[in-house]
Amino acid sequence: MKFSIITPNYNGANYLEGCIKSVLSQNVDFEHIIVDSESTDSSLDILKKYPHLKVICEKDKGMYDAINKGIAISQGDIILYLNSDDRYPDGTLSEVLNIFNNDTTVDYVYGDCRLINHLEKELYVYRVPPIFVKLLNKITVIPWAQPSIFYRKHVFQKLGCFDIQYRLAADYHFMKKVLISKFNGHKANKVLSNFMKRDSALGSVYSFEMHSEGMQIKKELGIADRPVLDFFFNLYRT
């Protein structure tokens, strides 16, 4: 099976090459699609150094629109997206591939995520509790870290791509739709990605707007708040 890794980028030159190298270190069949929103820093010069990349360079309507463009041209069996400041630890995609190969009924694989700082030093591990999917479906916070989720292509074919009306939380919207649709997920007992936590990231700069989008998504999908359940879920994973 082939992986399609999609990386949206806009002026991410400080981190982009580390992302590319972390994908190159994976010993699997993959295509790496970079969707660049006409960066004005040295991003394009970096991309030219790696001829294996598939590059789209054009304006977009935000990060999720860029990711959707990558999905549209993807040719892999497993689709995932990795932001330019995030990384895959060695062996991540081999681990995920083994799970998919060993069970053809698995629609998506998820796992833990290591949060790192801008120097790529570990801050803490974001862990998903070992709970049943039915209970996971009742959680109203984001169920797993975005870089640590891997979908078979048919999940997107059934649900469509990311809803670009949500400029900050479309990944949360998609994850909840996946759970509601009762696809079969499998938890890997391993850290599957490194997520860079920094003050200039969109989620940090626009945290209030992201929270507002989350509330709108809950209303759209008919998700009832469960503060006690969410509290213990967050307590475990941090």
Side-chain angles (χ1 to χ4, degrees):
M1 285 194 290
K2 183 175 185 177
F3 288 83
S4 291
I5 301 109
I6 299 157
T7 297
N9 180 68
Y10 179 66
N11 288 345
N14 289 341
Y15 311 102
L16 180 59
E17 196 156 20
C19 171
I20 294 169
K21 288 180 177 179
S22 81
V23 174
L24 273 173
S25 72
Q26 307 297 314
N27 189 25
V28 297
D29 184 17
F30 72 86
E31 60 177 3
H32 194 176
I33 302 168
I34 310 287
V35 187
D36 184 272
S37 184
E38 298 185 350
S39 291
T40 57
D41 63 2
S42 59
S43 290
L44 297 182
D45 292 329
I46 292 170
L47 297 179
K48 289 175 183 177
K49 293 166 57 178
Y50 297 95
H52 73 285
L53 298 173
K54 294 183 178 180
V55 178
I56 300 172
C57 184
E58 61 186 31
K59 284 294 184 184
D60 53 55
K61 298 176 183 178
M63 177 177 67
Y64 297 106
D65 183 41
I67 296 165
N68 288 345
K69 290 180 180 182
I71 294 172
I73 68 166
S74 65
Q75 298 182 357
D77 308 287
I78 304 166
I79 295 179
L80 42 145
Y81 85 83
L82 187 71
N83 286 323
S84 59
D85 53 357
D86 299 334
R87 286 91 174 87
Y88 289 133
D90 290 347
T92 287
L93 298 190
S94 294
E95 175 80 12
V96 172
L97 181 61
N98 287 338
I99 293 171
F100 279 121
N101 280 336
N102 290 336
D103 190 344
T104 59
T105 70
V106 170
D107 299 305
Y108 62 95
V109 172
Y110 60 96
D112 297 337
C113 175
R114 178 183 297 107
L115 272 74
I116 59 175
N117 63 18
H118 68 286
L119 299 175
E120 303 197 24
K121 303 298 184 182
E122 179 178 318
L123 298 174
Y124 61 90
V125 174
Y126 185 100
R127 301 176 297 161
V128 182
I131 58 178
F132 295 111
V133 171
K134 285 185 178 180
L135 184 58
L136 188 62
N137 191 24
K138 296 180 184 297
I139 303 298
T140 68
V141 294
I142 194 164
W144 43 70
Q146 181 282 129
S148 290
I149 174 70
F150 309 81
Y151 302 102
R152 288 194 195 266
K153 190 168 189 174
H154 68 246
V155 175
F156 288 98
Q157 291 170 335
K158 180 174 180 178
L159 297 181
C161 293
F162 294 100
D163 189 337
I164 64 172
Q165 72 168 308
Y166 300 116
R167 296 179 61 84
L168 300 165
D171 51 348
Y172 169 70
H173 179 252
F174 190 82
M175 292 175 194
K176 294 306 293 184
K177 287 202 303 179
V178 168
L179 287 169
I180 291 169
S181 299
K182 299 180 180 179
F183 284 105
N184 182 26
H186 182 102
K187 181 181 184 297
N189 295 314
K190 184 177 180 179
V191 170
L192 297 180
S193 68
N194 293 340
F195 176 90
M196 188 174 292
K197 186 176 177 65
R198 52 190 178 88
D199 292 339
S200 58
L202 288 176
S204 299
V205 175
Y206 299 104
S207 58
F208 177 79
E209 292 85 349
M210 181 178 287
H211 176 74
S212 297
E213 284 193 4
M215 298 298 290
Q216 185 179 344
I217 289 166
K218 292 177 188 180
K219 183 177 180 180
E220 176 196 332
L221 299 179
I223 299 170
D225 282 325
R226 293 183 172 87
V228 175
L229 195 59
D230 288 351
F231 172 79
F232 283 106
F233 184 82
N234 281 330
L235 187 66
Y236 177 92
R237 67 182 181 182
T238 57

